[in-house]
Amino acid sequence: MTDSLRVAALEVDIHLGDVDGNLARIRAAIERGAAAGARLIVLPELATSGYVFRDVAEATDASLTRDDPRLDALRETLPGGAVAVFGYLERGADGLYNSAIVLGRDGELGHYRKSHLWDRESEIFQLGDAAGAVVDTPVGRVGVAICYDNEFPEVPRGLALAGADVLALPVNWPFVPHPEGERAPETIMAMGSARASRLPTVIADRIGAGAGAERGVEWTGGTAVIDGDGWVAAEPLDGMAVAELEIQPGDKRLNDRNDLFGDRRTALYRPH
Amino acid sequence: MTDSLRVAALEVDIHLGDVDGNLARIRAAIERGAAAGARLIVLPELATSGYVFRDVAEATDASLTRDDPRLDALRETLPGGAVAVFGYLERGADGLYNSAIVLGRDGELGHYRKSHLWDRESEIFQLGDAAGAVVDTPVGRVGVAICYDNEFPEVPRGLALAGADVLALPVNWPFVPHPEGERAPETIMAMGSARASRLPTVIADRIGAGAGAERGVEWTGGTAVIDGDGWVAAEPLDGMAVAELEIQPGDKRLNDRNDLFGDRRTALYRPH
């Protein structure tokens, strides 16, 4: 059975440390995605806080606890049956986490703490204890991973095998030089991992270069919707990428003889 | 320590069923790669036989045993210290295999039987019992996989974790429609898997469309050298792609804080 799922990935103009301002901008972005008819709305990593903190103390000032009523209040912006996924800077009992929340009209549906930390993140954040999450939602089983997580093939593969129908991927991709005419390397990896598991992937990234950079870090601007065949189905128009995805829960058939998961030779694979 | 390795991937004008003619063309291709200074020379899948067989009987007529002196004789074309990898149709004790041989000046260095079979291949070939191979050679540790094998993220990842410095990938990629301006999907997947494990990948594919098709199957023409960052370092010029690859045995550092293998959270990954 093929379902159709309208999704939106939105850039958000995030200001470092301005939590209430960012929450207002997140609210506006969710409203915009909902108005476009999207039932799955994805926003960037650390959308409440920004990214380039000097140290734990400064990051702590921009953190929120998971039960902060300001996070919960964002559900008011969601139509019934719609789901939003966004990153936030979580203040946990034992330290800070780079986390994502999966929000429905009636409250939190799922939660994930990033488990592969990039560069200076390891000076700020604790490591999460799961390699992504699969969350049951009104729009299906939504996989969640954050940024660098997805560069480990084990993560999108594991989420697809665990039954994710679609992957929500909040990111902050710092710009890295790449050959002219090529897509950003993280995009190519996401196209490959999407196709490898027929796992549509909804990516929301930062934007900004030059004066728009955050303490000198420029962003790739990789917001995109990638379909289950690995193709870029939508890129941002005025900050929002919207696409209608075909979702085939659990169906990985490629032709009469091949099934992407059935063809796996699990007994032959090297243990992780 | 960074080593430099000159590699060549060559298209070969393979004729269905014409084993001796194909062996002569393989010989010429290896000689051409060697003359270009390549120390690792990769040719397509099933280079001795062609691909689109009607049935086992017809494929058997184009098969070779692993110890066929005509295969061994090809080593005469290799300069000392150089290595060739090519696909052949193997007649084993218990049936036919879609195999690859790794050949050095002094004889066979390694051998691999394809373990993920595409479409009608399952009517012709037996399944191999390894997910790729890693072969110690004079040019380093060469990973070997064949075509559809590489679309399973477990394969290139497993070979890199097992110590492969470079992946030799003989393929026969049938053309599949894809969006204008995009590379073939198999190429994108190979770029992604190369970057995910910093595993340079040397791809040798068929060519031919229209009258050059084999019983109606047209080929993508995906011959390419992909470097360890996942970029296409060389595409064919007159049938041969040559590049100088940087090889960093075992070194997966990305920056002062990140190591692509060290950052893996093996305890968190879903078992295969």
Side-chain angles (χ1 to χ4, degrees), chain B residues 84-160:
Chain B
V85 181
F86 60 90
Y88 79 106
L89 202 168
E90 181 193 2
R91 185 170 70 256
D94 57 351
L96 301 180
Y97 291 90
N98 182 335
S99 298
I101 194 163
V102 181
L103 202 64
R105 173 75 200 176
D106 298 326
E108 183 190 293
L109 298 167
H111 190 266
Y112 171 66
R113 291 168 163 178
K114 187 177 184 180
S115 58
H116 302 81
L117 298 177
W118 177 251
D119 206 359
R120 286 195 54 245
E121 289 176 36
S122 55
E123 297 175 2
I124 307 278
F125 300 111
Q126 307 296 309
L127 278 168
D129 62 1
V134 181
V135 180
D136 280 309
T137 80
V139 303
R141 305 195 77 190
V142 176
V144 182
I146 301 175
C147 203
Y148 186 44
D149 284 332
N150 203 54
E151 298 183 32
F152 295 79
E154 296 86 354
V155 176
R157 184 60 139 189
L159 295 174

Side-chain angles (χ1 to χ4, degrees), chain A residues 115-117 119 123 128 148 154 157 182-183 185 195 231 257-258 263-266 269-270 272, chain B residues 115-117 119 123 128 148 154 157 182-183 185 195 257-258 263-266 269-270 272:
Chain A
S115 58
H116 302 81
L117 298 177
D119 206 2
E123 297 174 2
Y148 186 44
E154 296 86 354
R157 184 60 139 189
E182 298 285 4
R183 297 182 185 280
R195 187 175 178 92
W231 303 117
R257 296 178 184 82
N258 290 105
D263 290 345
R264 295 171 71 238
R265 303 290 308 278
T266 54
Y269 299 150
R270 183 187 171 89
H272 297 303
Chain B
S115 58
H116 302 81
L117 298 177
D119 206 359
E123 297 175 2
Y148 186 44
E154 296 86 354
R157 184 60 139 189
E182 298 284 5
R183 297 182 185 280
R195 187 175 178 91
R257 296 177 185 83
N258 290 105
D263 290 346
R264 295 171 71 238
R265 301 291 307 280
T266 54
Y269 299 150
R270 183 186 170 90
H272 297 304

Side-chain angles (χ1 to χ4, degrees), chain B residues 14-18 22 45-53 62 89 125 172 206 214 219:
Chain B
I14 298 161
H15 298 201
L16 187 70
D18 176 19
N22 291 331
E45 178 184 11
L46 293 174
T48 56
S49 62
Y51 183 86
V52 192
F53 292 101
L89 202 168
F125 300 111
N172 280 190
R206 301 283 297 270
E214 191 175 289
W219 310 104

